Every structure is written in structure tokens, then in C-alpha cells.
Amino acid sequence: MIAIATASQKGGVGKTTLCINLAYSLARRGWNVLLADTDPQGGVGLSLARSTRSKQGFYDYLCGGGDFDKLVLATRLPELQILPAGQYDACSRRGWPAHEVPARLADILRSAELRGVDCLIMDTAAGLNGMSESVVKACDYVIIPQQAEPLAVRSVPHMLETLSRYRSEGAPVKVAGILLTMVMAGNSISQKVVNELRAMLPASLMFEQNVPRLESFLEASAMGVPVALMKRNPPPEALIFDQIAAEIEQRTGLPEDREAAQSHASLLD
Ligand SMILES: Nc1ncnc2c1ncn2[C@@H]1O[C@H](COP(=O)(O)OP(=O)(O)O)[C@@H](O)[C@H]1O
Ligand SMILES: [Mg+2]
């Protein structure tokens, strides 16, 4: 199994939109995907179904343990499952020992793997501190959605330094890539930032595909669906996330990971 977190210094850059649409695309491509929401504001649950707000999930398991499988929600797509954020307020009132968080996160990763998950996607709250820091440190890969705005030229190197510090402290996390989001076609400032970032950073660190700023993404999250499910016939922009999913497969070695897991299983049979 491969665990991927998102990370960004700022909110509103399209992390949750990425997680929902990427999880859907990967599931459509045949991977067993578990989308876990670690944002106390519960963006994933809120977008996909209002009722997930009242469900138990990530934070309940983190502070109380229990039966992991009972917290996982099925979706219409058998390959896509969701671990909602759960009851953050109730859990933080009870308090959880901060030093136990890494072990409990490792337990969540193990439980997901035992369920046959190929790809665990963990949506995070903005900022690389607190729970988001712990989540990123526990994952194999991190995707950095970066809004195409002038500030990005300074904030991206800062983010990369923080992540390389995590690695030097022993965390396994590698950068899967920087994904430019909210790119405005035909806007010269947006285009200039895209060009500057691509000139400044090694191509190996950048997703080839950008995410354009489009009304349909806004509409899709208001309707609580991946953009591909918005209409009977998926709009052309649904292909954007298929393209990103294909890049993720390459960048994380997802197919090789599954092969390795399968050959391991056959040795044990
Ligand atoms: N590519 C996009 N084009 C237009 N609106 C977008 C796009 N991505 C996200 N949005 C909208 O911007 C808001 C913030 O996006 P979200 O994915 O929740 O960001 P984050 O999780 O980083 O806070 C949401 O209302 C969402 O619908
Ligand atoms: Mg979010």
C-alpha cells in the first residue's frame, strides 16, 4: 500500500478538491482507494454527504481506538471508501496524548493495508503543524497543491525545506510532486507565475498537469460530488484528474507496489 498526504501552508488552495477527485479517478482506474479526512473541519465528509458530519471516523479512532472497519464508509464505487474526520471536538475535549499520535497513525496505515487498500489518500488541514505535520510524516508521499499566485515563488521553497527536514528527522515521506492549482487560463499574472515556478523548480518535482480554475469544480463541491459525477456525461475537465492519477501511478510506483504485495501473498499461500 502507498499512503499519500496533501500539504499546503494555506487553506483554499484546492487540497480537498484534489483529494476527492483524485481518489475517484484512482478508484475508476481499478485501485482500492481509502480517502481519509484528517481536517477537523471535515471538508471531505461535508462535500460528499452531509450525513458524514455526524459519523465517527479518523479522530475517534485516534483518541479511542476501536473497530477500524466500522468507521470506513462504502461509496457507490466498490473501489472507493471513505474514512470521515469524525468527532474532533468530542475527542479533543477528552484529549489524546500527543506522543501516541505517530503510533496510532501507523496503526491506521496498517489497518488500511489489512483491508486491501492499495492507495490511502489523507486530506489535511492547512499548515504544516499539529495533526497535519504528523500525518505528512507518517505517509510515504506528499502532494503539494500550490495556487498559481505570485506568493508561490517564495512559499514553495519554504515548504520543500520543511519536508526535507522531516526526512532528515527520519520520516519516510517523499515529495510526489507540486501541483499547480487555480490556474487561470488567459490571465497573464497566473500564466507568469506558472512559467516562473516551472523555470525555478526541477521538472521532476512538478506534475505536468495543472488544475485550472473552473466554475465546474466549485459547482461539483457544492453538489458534493467528484467533478466526473456532476453530469450524466462527465465534463471534459474530469479528464484532468485522470491525468493526475496516471502521473501519481508513475511517480509513486503504485503498480510495482501492488505486484510486490501480490508476490508476497503468493509466497505465504
Ligand atoms: N480548480 C478550481 N476551480 C475553481 N474552484 C475551485 C477549484 N479548486 C477548488 N475550488 C473551490 O475553492 C474552494 C476551496 O477549495 P478546497 O478544495 O476546499 O481547498 P482546501 O482544501 O485547500 O481548503 C472550494 O469552494 C472549492 O470548490
Ligand atoms: Mg480542505
Side-chain angles (χ1 to χ4, degrees), residues 98-180:
H99 64 274
E100 280 182 20
V101 167
R104 302 219 173 154
L105 283 171
D107 194 17
I108 288 180
L109 264 64
R110 248 191 322 273
S111 304
E113 188 152 29
L114 282 174
R115 287 179 65 85
V117 169
D118 298 309
C119 185
L120 170 65
I121 297 182
M122 301 189 94
D123 191 16
T124 57
L128 264 186
N129 44 41
M131 187 56 69
S132 297
E133 174 175 346
S134 302
V135 169
V136 167
K137 282 180 167 168
C139 283
D140 304 299
Y141 287 95
V142 60
I143 304 178
I144 307 170
Q146 175 62 56
Q147 203 166 331
E149 55 168 15
L151 210 62
V153 178
R154 270 184 289 149
S155 59
V156 169
H158 181 248
M159 172 67 91
L160 293 173
E161 276 163 30
T162 306
L163 292 166
S164 99
R165 177 167 56 80
Y166 290 177
R167 273 182 76 78
S168 68
E169 290 167 5
V173 65
K174 295 189 278 288
V175 176
I178 298 164
L179 177 68
L180 297 178

Side-chain angles (χ1 to χ4, degrees), residues 15-16 39 123-124:
K15 280 187 301 299
T16 301
D39 181 350
D123 191 16
T124 57

